[in-house]
Amino acid sequence: MMKRAICIVLILLGALSASGQHYVGVKGGYGAAHGRIYPPPERSGLMWNKTTAGLVWKYFSPQQVVGGVSAEIEFQQRGYSIYKGTGAVTGEGDYNGRMRTVSSITVPLMWQPHLYMINRRVRFFVSAGVTFSYNLGLGDKLTTTKYDWNSNTMTHTPTSTTEPYEMQTARDVRWNYGWLGGVGLSVLAGRWEIFAEGRYYYGMADLLRTKTKYLFNEENSIRSELDNIYISIGVTMRLGKGGILAPPLRKPRPAPVGDDNFTNIKPGRRR
């Protein structure tokens, strides 16, 4: 699957005209992380206050709508939170929680169909592509929380412990991949572009080796993919000279009334 995705991106790059325009810039964003752990725990949730930041490269050809691709390299905060025990579902009783943060370098490769509006001062775009991530293991943390149920006060008393998470080759998977989708809007001013985009990252590779390969898998999982949702803003600059190459989309003009009426045409005289 990874080879097929890379081939698709290379074909898209090769199909674009060599006279296209390059954009380079930076971006930053805020969002949430989520882990899809299977067998599923009693409860799982989003981990907010996750950030992303990175470098952006875009390429647009003179072809309207479909002539755009992009690649990025970004630092991402990812992770998961799971809760096990009957109290996590019923709200009464003891249960345990585990929250892990993961620091990753992610490379998205995207196709970006787009439309220009307002005399090509605004660009609406869609992002669709694949991602490849490397989990650094730098600054990762694991928080374990025990929620003790007090039947007298009908409340839980949490007791938390946070420790650095040290990645181990036998247990942890460094390389991940997945796909992404997003929508965004750009404002163009001369050679500069300011954009905002909402994007969803869907993981398709395990973070932890399955319990069949690593018996001491703490989550007892056979699947452990990570997802992210980010809202990002960024700025890019168009390289080279000249304006936007793609012409604006225009509606075809209707034919003047009577152009298809031949009743008034008189045959010319033969000479």
Side-chain angles (χ1 to χ4, degrees):
M1 182 174 180
M2 293 177 64
K3 292 182 179 179
R4 183 182 302 177
I6 293 174
C7 289
I8 292 174
V9 174
L10 292 176
I11 291 173
L12 289 173
L13 286 170
L16 296 173
S17 170
S19 61
Q21 294 172 322
H22 299 267
Y23 291 72
V24 293
V26 294
K27 60 174 285 188
Y30 171 88
H34 180 260
R36 288 178 287 113
I37 309 297
Y38 186 87
E42 280 71 21
R43 182 163 63 91
S44 63
L46 292 174
M47 296 178 64
W48 288 96
N49 300 320
K50 300 305 177 187
T51 59
T52 181
L55 304 176
V56 180
W57 169 81
K58 298 182 180 183
Y59 180 92
F60 292 100
S61 76
Q63 189 172 9
Q64 296 175 334
V65 183
V66 298
V69 295
S70 179
E72 300 172 359
I73 179 168
E74 54 182 327
F75 172 81
Q76 292 183 337
Q77 292 181 329
R78 307 195 296 164
Y80 63 85
S81 62
I82 58 176
Y83 304 90
K84 297 182 179 181
T86 57
V89 179
T90 64
E92 298 181 3
D94 299 340
Y95 67 97
N96 298 315
R98 289 170 64 86
M99 301 177 63
R100 180 184 165 190
T101 60
V102 182
S103 301
S104 304
I105 295 294
T106 299
V107 178
L109 304 174
M110 297 161 288
W111 176 43
Q112 284 194 336
H114 55 282
L115 289 174
Y116 289 104
M117 300 175 289
I118 314 179
N119 197 25
R120 293 184 294 180
R121 290 188 176 91
V122 174
R123 177 165 56 213
F124 171 80
F125 62 91
V126 175
S127 298
V130 296
T131 63
F132 303 94
S133 298
Y134 180 78
N135 301 319
L136 299 170
L138 301 176
D140 293 2
K141 295 180 180 180
L142 177 65
T143 300
T144 303
T145 305
K146 184 178 181 180
Y147 297 86
D148 295 316
W149 174 251
N150 189 322
S151 58
N152 296 323
T153 61
M154 303 294 287
T155 59
H156 286 99
T157 302
T159 304
S160 298
T161 301
T162 300
E163 298 176 342
Y165 187 92
E166 297 182 3
M167 298 193 71
Q168 301 176 8
T169 303
R171 174 189 59 195
D172 303 292
V173 180
R174 290 279 189 177
W175 292 96
N176 292 158
Y177 62 91
W179 58 263
L180 66 84
V183 294
L185 198 69
S186 299
V187 176
L188 306 172
R191 297 169 60 185
W192 295 94
E193 171 197 25
I194 300 174
F195 67 90
E197 181 183 10
R199 190 180 291 177
Y200 178 70
Y201 295 77
Y202 185 88
M204 299 186 66
D206 292 326
L207 178 68
L208 299 168
R209 302 194 191 279
T210 66
K211 62 181 181 180
T212 59
K213 296 181 179 180
Y214 183 74
L215 299 178
F216 304 102
N217 181 333
E218 291 90 341
E219 314 304 351
N220 198 33
S221 63
I222 59 176
R223 283 176 51 193
S224 53
E225 300 103 339
L226 298 183
D227 301 340
N228 275 93
I229 301 173
Y230 288 119
I231 296 177
S232 301
I233 59 174
V235 57
T236 64
M237 183 182 70
R238 185 172 66 243
L239 303 180
K241 298 180 180 180
I244 296 172
L245 298 179
L249 289 175
R250 301 185 184 277
K251 295 182 179 180
R253 296 182 179 179
V257 178
D259 275 13
D260 56 350
N261 188 349
F262 300 98
T263 57
N264 295 326
I265 298 178
K266 297 181 180 180
R269 296 181 180 180
R270 295 182 178 178
R271 294 182 181 178

